[in-house]
Amino acid sequence: MKFSLSTPKEIEAEFAERIRLARIARRMTQGELAERVGVSVGTIRNLERSGDCAFSTIIKVAQALHLERGLGDLFKIGVNSIDELIEMNRAKDLVRRRVSRR
C-alpha cells in the first residue's frame, strides 16, 4: 500500500489488518494479546477493527507481536532533494540551540 496516496482511514485500516494478521500468525487470541499489552480485549478488538487507539498502545502491541523493528522507520524523514537536506540540517541546528539554552 502506498501511504502517500491514502487517506488516514485507509492507513488505519491497513495497520489494523496487519496487526490482526500478525496476531493470528502467532496463534494468539485477542485476549492473550490484551493481557500481554495490559489493555482490555475491547481495546484490541477496536484496534483490529478500526486501527484506532492510543499510540502508546500501538507500540506495546508491536512489541508483544515482535514487530518493533518496523517502528524504526515509522516517522523516518526522507530527503528528496538538496534543498530538503539543507532544511533538515537547519531544523536540527534550531533544535540543538533551543535545547542548549535550557
Side-chain angles (χ1 to χ4, degrees):
M1 170 177 232
K2 185 108 172 145
F3 291 132
S4 62
L5 303 175
S6 303
T7 66
K9 285 293 180 196
E10 290 170 334
I11 295 169
E12 286 177 352
E14 176 67 20
F15 280 124
E17 181 65 6
R18 289 179 185 186
I19 288 168
R20 187 180 74 80
L21 290 174
R23 177 185 58 78
I24 291 169
R26 285 159 181 76
R27 302 187 191 286
M28 196 181 299
T29 66
Q30 287 180 333
E32 290 168 334
L33 180 57
E35 188 174 320
R36 287 186 186 191
V37 173
V39 298
S40 70
V41 175
T43 297
I44 298 299
R45 191 177 300 122
N46 185 52
L47 172 59
E48 290 185 0
R49 188 178 335 109
S50 69
D52 187 31
C53 72
F55 189 65
S56 60
T57 301
I58 291 173
I59 293 168
K60 291 173 189 174
V61 167
Q63 290 173 325
L65 295 173
H66 307 290
L67 301 172
E68 59 272 274
R69 280 189 320 151
L71 295 173
D73 290 329
L74 193 54
F75 296 111
K76 190 179 264 184
I77 298 172
V79 177
N80 298 314
S81 70
I82 296 294
D83 290 335
E84 286 182 10
L85 180 60
I86 291 167
E87 289 303 315
M88 286 302 304
N89 286 331
R90 284 183 187 152
K92 288 178 186 176
D93 288 342
L94 286 172
V95 169
R96 282 189 204 113
R97 282 189 217 133
R98 287 182 186 153
V99 170
S100 64
R101 287 184 192 171
R102 293 181 183 171

